[in-house]
Amino acid sequence: MEVVMNGDHKSPNHRLNLIKRNLQEVLGEDKLVEILKERDVKVYWGTATTGKPHVAYFVPMSKIADFLEAGCEVTVLFADVHASLDNMKAPWELLDLREKYYEAVIKAMLESIGVPLEKLKFVRGKDYQLTEEYTRDVYKLASLVSVHDAKKAGAEVVKQVEHPLLSSLLYPLLQALDEEYLKVDAQFGGVDQRKIFTFSEKYLPQLGYGKRIHLMNPMVPGLTGGKMSSSLEDSKIDLLDSPSAVKKKLKKAFCEPGNLEDNGVLAFVKHVLLPLFRNEDFTVKRKEEDGGNIIYKNYSELEEDFKNLKLHPADLKAAVESYLNRLLAPIRKKFESPELQKLSAQAYPPLCTKGKVVHMETPVTPARLDIRIGKIMEIKKHPDADSLYVSKVDLGESTGPRTVVSGLAKIIPQEELENRLVVALCNLKPAKMRGVESQAMILCASRDEPKEVEPLNPPKDSKPGDKVFVEGYENSEPDEQLNPKKKVWETLQPELKTSSNCVAEWQGNPLIAPSGNITCSTMKGAPIK
């Protein structure tokens, strides 16, 4: 997928159509037409660095791609000062970290849709919003604007409370002044910004500055219907969500057969997938017995089929899942970097209700478990316990095999375990079992009534030392050793089970080694211990 960067040779009318494509409203179109006859249009899009960007950010990204194809000069503003003014959603001490996170994420998004970054300019609000000249203009504007007008302008954007902070009333003033200080012709944003845009058109001329053009995207419904919000977990898909998390969230998404209203899945196809994959047909894959694949050339055909119940919601969701994972794959890959993982954790620590950073312990997730493939090199009965085996297990360590004591002696014959590949939990605190120290634990599917035990099976081509992770939790380093007092294993273990297909899972997310899923031989729906 690649954006064609050849706007210079296109006619003004074609460039106008690219700029306006899929927009809900344009204020100042006459001025836009005149500029296009003479030169490239300068556009800016701003985003407040508050919550983590999610897949709805592909809506403005697809329009930025259109602007670039139309030959526009595009500035992306990281509105860090705005973020702090908006009811302190972003504490001052986190602004630098969140700017870095947003830049990394937005660059990754643009790269994933083939937008050359050299055609863009990234600006941070505090680079000019804290200057003497800008501050004087804020005071001048404050002397002209009533509390009523400031509150009205931010009604759709700034969090509304009964007794608003003065900072929230300054928000629309700053956004209006940004148009002048960024030296642009047009500002682009969602239609929820309309009141701020008309505020700017009213007040900038009173400071001697010109009106700007305003380009407005429609608001794309979230997956549950209504606005897609970073604060409503089920309403959005995070850019770093795993394929299984994408599947789960799409499964819950509102997509009633034939219903076009507040349908976030359809809206996402229209405003994100079709524009970004416009160089290929949109294919909905179906089994032959269900009618076979459907190929759509445009959105109207797809919408008509959905409205007339010719396209089932489950088939549409499956297609969206496939295309969305294509968009997210390079972003996930980029964020496997330990540096970006660390940046994410630092930029978004837990906050208390007053917006202050809460210093908490590491969350209890499967990422804290050090699970590896091992090979039993030697096995014998425990000298003092008939029910225990003592094994030497190769876990790919330079220090050599570990001693592992397991309670399998009365359940599985010794010869079935010797030279067998197993799955082992390696960061429990070593514990003595009848006088022999066990340095890891072999994981098994296990039921008590009736007593059944099966060691988990590594996938084919596994080798000692291969890491095993729970899908979606693969990008963090495990604890060096689990603290028994913190009960990390005891907290996580009850959610470890085998599926109906004998796949080892944690909360429905598979355990994965480099060459495939971890499984068991026959036990379905069994606890893993």
Side-chain angles (χ1 to χ4, degrees), residues 99-315:
E99 289 164 4
K100 291 175 184 175
Y101 181 84
Y102 263 68
E103 180 167 350
V105 165
I106 289 173
K107 283 181 176 178
M109 293 180 75
L110 293 171
E111 287 168 351
S112 82
I113 60 176
V115 176
L117 298 182
E118 62 269 16
K119 301 291 184 180
L120 293 167
K121 180 167 68 173
F122 294 90
V123 176
R124 287 162 174 74
K126 67 173 181 284
D127 289 346
Y128 65 90
Q129 290 169 347
L130 303 179
T131 63
E132 181 180 344
E133 183 184 9
Y134 188 92
T135 302
R136 279 202 305 266
D137 273 344
V138 172
Y139 287 136
K140 287 179 185 177
L141 200 51
S143 71
L144 299 172
V145 178
S146 67
V147 170
H148 173 271
D149 280 4
K151 191 173 181 180
K152 179 182 176 184
E156 300 296 324
V157 178
V158 181
K159 185 175 180 180
Q160 298 299 294
V161 293
E162 185 177 355
H163 301 292
L165 297 174
L166 181 59
S167 61
S168 68
L169 300 179
L170 289 174
Y171 190 106
L173 280 67
L174 268 63
Q175 189 167 338
L177 286 171
D178 290 341
E179 296 179 345
E180 175 63 27
Y181 279 79
L182 291 172
K183 303 301 179 187
V184 295
D185 304 305
Q187 183 179 174
F188 163 62
V191 74
D192 61 336
Q193 307 266 339
R194 192 181 196 282
K195 290 178 181 177
I196 290 182
F197 292 164
T198 55
F199 172 92
S200 171
E201 292 185 2
K202 176 180 178 181
Y203 283 103
L204 278 189
Q206 294 186 43
L207 293 180
Y209 301 140
K211 286 184 182 181
R212 264 58 182 193
I213 301 157
H214 293 106
L215 311 168
M216 283 169 272
N217 251 351
M219 297 307 294
V220 175
L223 297 175
T224 55
K227 183 178 178 180
M228 192 178 288
S229 168
S230 59
S231 62
L232 299 173
E233 185 60 30
D234 282 343
S235 80
K236 55 91 179 179
I237 293 172
D238 191 89
L239 294 168
L240 303 180
D241 274 346
S242 66
S244 61
V246 171
K247 181 185 288 290
K248 279 184 181 179
K249 290 180 179 180
L250 280 172
K251 201 170 184 179
K252 294 179 183 177
F254 175 77
C255 191
E256 188 177 61
N259 190 346
L260 307 181
E261 299 299 318
D262 276 338
N263 190 322
V265 179
L266 278 177
F268 196 76
V269 172
K270 180 178 181 180
H271 295 286
V272 176
L273 298 182
L274 289 182
L276 293 182
F277 290 95
R278 59 181 174 268
N279 293 327
E280 59 183 90
D281 295 330
F282 188 83
T283 302
V284 176
K285 294 182 179 179
R286 301 189 303 186
K287 295 178 181 178
E288 286 301 324
E289 56 265 33
D290 295 328
N293 295 349
I294 318 176
I295 296 174
Y296 292 104
K297 300 287 186 184
N298 54 61
Y299 177 74
S300 60
E301 293 175 1
L302 185 148
E303 184 182 84
E304 192 67 18
D305 272 6
F306 188 85
K307 178 182 176 182
N308 294 321
L309 307 181
K310 294 179 180 178
L311 174 59
H312 193 276
D315 294 325

